[in-house]
Amino acid sequence: GAVVSQHPSRVICKSGTSVKIECRSLDFQATTMFWYRQFPKQSLMLMATSNEGSKATYEQGVEKDKFLINHASLTLSTLTVTSAHPEDSSFYICSAQRDRDEKLFFGSGTQLSVL
Amino acid sequence: QKEVEQDPGPLSVPEGAIVSLNCTYSNSAFQYFMWYRQYSRKGPELLMYTYSSGNKEDGRFTAQVDKSSKYISLFIRDSQPSDSATYLCAMRSFNKFYFGSGTKLNVKP
């Protein structure tokens, strides 16, 4: 099966610092990656869609200057939470879609806690 | 009205029971239907993936799609405590994915 690796799994940081989360497709090329945010006992909320080599498409209400997404290669996308604040504390999950395949595979998620 | 409706549960069943999880949807453009299992503080894991109406079986899991009624189901036979998790249904239209809110399942030993 397809494997998506996400790091770190957990990060605790001080308010005002920036945090980078990596998402890698280990055994396939992913032309499209998605970033989600999940609050406790709630479903996935799509933040942005990332295509290799082009700018990410952000969902309405998601600040692009706060959540920087870079999809530099077919196997790597990064999400940087800039100047993090306590309200940014959440569970962030990436997913990747194989080229010419409709299935979506998820990373293991990153729990961000901003103090 | 949400695009995808899913009962959040929780659903509690004894070990060995048959579990039925369901989702309804409103958008007839949905073409692909998926079920994911998510353990606490982990990423969702793809369980089943279907395209057409009808049944698809994989081990103890059966996915059922009824496009005419806009209704999908996941059946789990001989449920085990290790099946305790949140189950998310998902649907795809034009490369955009829509997720249900998830049903929390607890299988008691």
Side-chain angles (χ1 to χ4, degrees):
Chain A
V3 179
V4 177
S5 174
Q6 184 174 344
H7 291 283
S9 59
R10 186 177 184 90
V11 59
I12 301 171
C13 68
K14 292 182 178 179
S15 185
T17 60
S18 294
V19 174
K20 179 184 280 190
I21 303 169
E22 287 192 353
C23 181
R24 293 179 184 272
S25 55
L26 296 186
D27 54 358
F28 67 98
Q29 293 184 329
T31 54
T32 305
M33 289 186 172
F34 302 87
W35 287 94
Y36 294 88
R37 187 171 178 176
Q38 188 176 37
F39 293 101
K41 299 183 181 179
Q42 293 188 26
S43 190
L44 304 168
M45 184 187 79
L46 180 65
M47 298 175 66
T49 302
S50 165
N51 291 294
E52 185 264 338
S54 62
K55 291 184 178 180
T57 302
Y58 291 80
E59 294 298 302
Q60 191 173 8
V62 178
E63 299 177 60
K64 60 180 68 175
D65 294 331
K66 179 160 196 62
F67 299 99
L68 300 178
I69 293 172
N70 188 321
H71 193 158
S73 75
L74 284 172
T75 60
L76 173 65
S77 178
T78 60
L79 166 67
T80 301
V81 183
T82 62
S83 186
H85 290 283
E87 57 266 29
D88 299 323
S89 298
S90 188
F91 191 59
Y92 293 87
I93 312 176
C94 71
S95 66
Q97 188 177 26
R98 283 193 291 206
D99 193 24
R100 294 184 294 277
D101 190 305
E102 300 83 10
K103 297 176 183 177
L104 202 59
F105 299 95
F106 286 87
S108 53
T110 299
Q111 180 64 52
L112 171 63
S113 299
V114 185
L115 305 177
Chain B
Q1 183 185 7
K2 289 182 182 177
E3 298 265 13
V4 181
E5 297 278 359
Q6 184 175 10
D7 188 334
L11 180 62
S12 188
V13 301
E15 182 175 355
I18 296 175
V19 176
S20 173
L21 304 166
N22 311 294
C23 286
T24 58
Y25 62 95
S26 56
N27 189 345
S28 58
F30 288 145
Q31 297 173 305
Y32 302 93
F33 305 89
M34 293 142 279
W35 284 95
Y36 288 86
R37 177 175 63 195
Q38 185 177 23
Y39 293 111
S40 182
R41 286 294 167 248
K42 296 291 183 184
E45 171 193 6
L46 182 63
L47 285 178
M48 298 291 284
Y49 171 80
T50 57
Y51 171 74
S52 57
S53 282
N55 293 351
K56 181 177 181 179
E57 189 174 319
D58 185 0
R60 296 185 296 113
F61 300 93
T62 299
Q64 188 175 79
V65 174
D66 183 346
K67 288 188 176 181
S68 62
S69 300
K70 297 188 179 67
Y71 188 90
I72 69 170
S73 299
L74 177 69
F75 298 97
I76 307 174
R77 290 184 298 280
D78 187 26
S79 57
Q80 302 295 309
S82 58
D83 294 328
S84 298
T86 296
Y87 290 79
L88 298 163
C89 63
M91 305 176 190
R92 179 189 171 222
S93 174
F94 300 106
N95 213 35
K96 187 156 186 176
F97 292 81
Y98 299 82
F99 291 87
S101 55
T103 300
K104 186 174 176 63
L105 172 67
N106 180 32
V107 181
K108 298 175 291 185

